[in-house]
Amino acid sequence: MKIAVLPGDGIGREIINEAIKVLDKVALKYKLKFEFNEGLIGGCAVDEKGRPFPKETLEICKNSDAVLLGAVGGPKWDKNPSNMRPEKGLLELRKSLGVFSNLRPAILFSDLKEASNLKEEVIKDGLDIMIVRELISGAYFGEKKRIDTKDGEKALDTIEYSSYEIERITKRAFEIARKRNKKLTLIDKANVLETSKLWRKIVSKISLDYKDVKLDYMYVDNAAMQLIKDPNQFDVILTENMFGDILSDEASMLTGSLGMLPSASLGKDNAGIYEPIHGSAPDIAGEDKANPIGTIMSVAMMLKYSFGMEKEARDIEKAVETVLNKGYRTSDIYKEGKKLVGTEKMGTLISEEI
Ligand code: NAD
């Protein structure tokens, strides 16, 4: 399997090294072969190639079965014009690979319950929610306008969804729910938005092919509340682009630890981009302090969603859990009485558990 590896900026290189260490161990144990091809993206690509997503990197990605990404950005490039900003590289990567669904699990291991902002009686034994967000349509991509009117300047953003766009992500969300606890919640604003009404119509129609999955609906304002009140009621959440953007950040904060969370962005045929949800953390770059678990959990998602290797993915997840149960912590999740380790050591401990 060919994997494009794009470390990016800041802590990107450090966390990617540990994820590859884990993949190497998986390859050894299960007699697999991963071929890694490295490319530039973000600020380092601007410095070396004059653009945040160079042609060479696109070629590498297109010739790979999956993309593993670190993070991009940093103060050095903050004042660049928008087409020379590191983040532009990410948007170009997503667009060129046509990834339309973003999978963001919010996982809180029971041993890290104290990291959550919520009370223990709300969290109970931890958290495991999967948010499936539509990524390349809706308000962020619809027509935008500025018009002068007698009441002053007027701005317009358009939310557009076609049934095709809704169908393809809905099927994916049902497939994911089927492999988890078989519950899917569509989050929308169908009491006021026409697009939400179309989402409901299509999702309810597709649900007839997935009778083993329990489907329910919730308005987005209520969902924002329910995530805080009783997050364990959710298994898989399916939602449109803007609601997903907001709710996935809210859900990630319930876990209290940015460095722990993975994500996957999938297109057709399960081609995907896998990356931790955090940024390039320039404040700790090069200090062996970054938590590599978000990136390591991202490669577990890669094995599961792009390569169909459920057992191998579960092996990685279990290794992470075991290392946490043994009390090892990077500084972002450290509490007194636990064993403080750096990025490299954390990666080594996890790979040794596989
Ligand atoms: P950030 O996620 O990089 O950092 C926020 C805080 O969390 C920092 O204190 C950082 O040290 C800490 N942190 C983040 N990841 C960590 C990890 N793995 N282990 C331990 N601590 C960790 O967000 P920011 O500071 O707002 O942004 C820094 C740069 O990253 C900016 O240039 C921003 O544009 C960019 N960014 C990139 C992405 C991406 O590549 N997908 C996402 C968000 C931000």
Side-chain angles (χ1 to χ4, degrees):
M1 282 138 290
K2 283 190 181 171
I3 301 173
V5 177
L6 316 181
D9 308 310
I11 58 170
R13 164 72 58 194
E14 297 164 70
I15 53 177
I16 287 283
N17 284 351
E18 301 317 305
I20 288 182
K21 197 185 271 176
V22 168
L23 274 178
D24 282 341
K25 188 63 190 288
V26 170
L28 191 71
K29 177 169 171 181
Y30 293 96
K31 299 191 171 51
L32 303 166
K33 189 161 184 310
F34 297 117
E35 183 186 317
F36 302 109
N37 293 300
E38 212 175 277
L40 293 169
I41 191 166
C44 58
V46 171
D47 289 350
E48 276 195 41
K49 300 281 176 186
R51 50 201 293 194
F53 188 57
K55 277 199 311 283
E56 298 86 328
T57 306
L58 174 63
E59 278 309 302
I60 292 173
C61 295
K62 289 211 154 151
N63 290 321
S64 299
D65 302 306
V67 178
L68 175 61
L69 180 72
V72 301
K76 182 176 175 194
W77 306 281
D78 274 354
K79 294 203 169 64
N80 281 14
S82 63
N83 63 336
M84 284 292 166
R85 290 196 52 126
E87 295 77 9
K88 182 79 169 95
L90 285 185
L91 296 182
E92 284 180 20
L93 168 68
R94 287 174 189 152
K95 206 171 134 202
S96 53
L97 294 193
V99 289
F100 59 83
S101 53
N102 181 233
L103 275 50
R104 286 252 308 243
I107 307 162
L108 177 61
F109 293 103
S110 62
D111 223 50
L112 279 182
K113 270 191 292 196
E114 75 278 2
S116 174
N117 296 332
L118 296 185
K119 291 182 185 139
E120 242 187 276
E121 64 249 40
V122 177
I123 287 294
K124 299 189 184 101
D125 291 327
L127 262 187
D128 185 359
I129 304 171
M130 173 70 85
I131 299 192
V132 180
R133 164 190 169 195
E134 200 291 324
L135 200 57
I136 53 174
S137 194
Y140 298 168
F141 291 83
E143 193 190 351
K144 296 170 192 309
K145 256 192 207 158
R146 290 286 180 108
I147 315 165
D148 283 322
T149 71
K150 66 178 177 24
D151 298 323
E153 203 179 359
K154 193 169 169 180
L156 270 100
D157 295 295
T158 320
I159 308 178
E160 288 177 88
Y161 271 107
S162 67
S163 50
Y164 167 72
E165 287 168 331
I166 301 170
E167 273 161 23
R168 62 184 179 181
I169 190 163
T170 300
K171 286 180 188 156
R172 173 154 291 151
F174 271 111
E175 292 293 335
I176 291 169
R178 201 169 240 182
K179 289 187 184 159
R180 293 173 44 104
N181 292 325
K182 299 187 170 49
K183 187 175 172 207
L184 181 70
T185 307
L186 173 66
I187 292 181
D188 60 25
K189 192 70 183 167
N191 46 349
V192 281
L193 294 179
E194 207 48 45
T195 42
S196 288
K197 288 180 192 148
L198 184 61
W199 272 83
R200 280 204 185 197
K201 179 178 157 192
I202 288 168
V203 171
S204 87
K205 192 168 135 217
I206 292 176
S207 73
L208 301 176
D209 297 330
Y210 295 89
K211 289 200 169 125
D212 51 326
V213 176
K214 183 177 177 305
L215 169 68
D216 60 12
Y217 307 92
M218 194 180 279
Y219 296 140
V220 63
D221 40 349
N222 185 26
M225 228 161 46
Q226 294 298 331
L227 270 172
I228 305 287
K229 191 172 163 230
D230 179 17
N232 276 306
Q233 70 182 282
F234 297 107
D235 176 25
V236 177
I237 287 175
L238 168 63
T239 190
E240 59 110 89
N241 200 346
M242 183 162 62
F243 298 157
D245 190 8
I246 300 165
L247 293 178
S248 57
D249 268 18
E250 183 188 354
S252 67
M253 280 327 290
L254 303 181
T255 73
S257 42
L258 206 57
M260 303 280 299
L261 297 178
S263 78
S265 302
L266 304 178
K268 261 202 327 219
D269 310 323
N270 291 339
I273 305 169
Y274 298 85
E275 57 183 316
I277 68 157
H278 59 73
S280 59
D283 51 331
I284 55 166
E287 295 182 14
D288 192 38
K289 281 190 183 157
N291 186 344
I293 294 179
T295 319
I296 290 171
M297 294 291 277
S298 300
V299 300
M301 288 186 86
M302 177 189 291
L303 297 185
K304 197 184 297 179
Y305 293 110
S306 279
F307 303 151
M309 298 177 174
E310 298 273 340
K311 185 156 60 89
E312 293 82 347
R314 186 71 205 121
D315 214 356
I316 297 178
E317 291 162 0
K318 261 173 47 202
V320 169
E321 207 167 352
T322 307
V323 169
L324 292 172
N325 287 344
K326 287 185 176 173
Y328 293 103
R329 301 283 189 275
T330 42
S331 57
D332 56 317
I333 50 172
Y334 178 74
K335 286 267 150 44
E336 224 182 275
K338 301 293 178 186
K339 298 171 216 166
L340 181 65
V341 294
T343 312
E344 246 192 280
K345 178 77 180 166
M346 183 54 101
T348 302
L349 287 164
I350 294 168
S351 65
E352 281 171 0
E353 289 297 335
I354 289 168

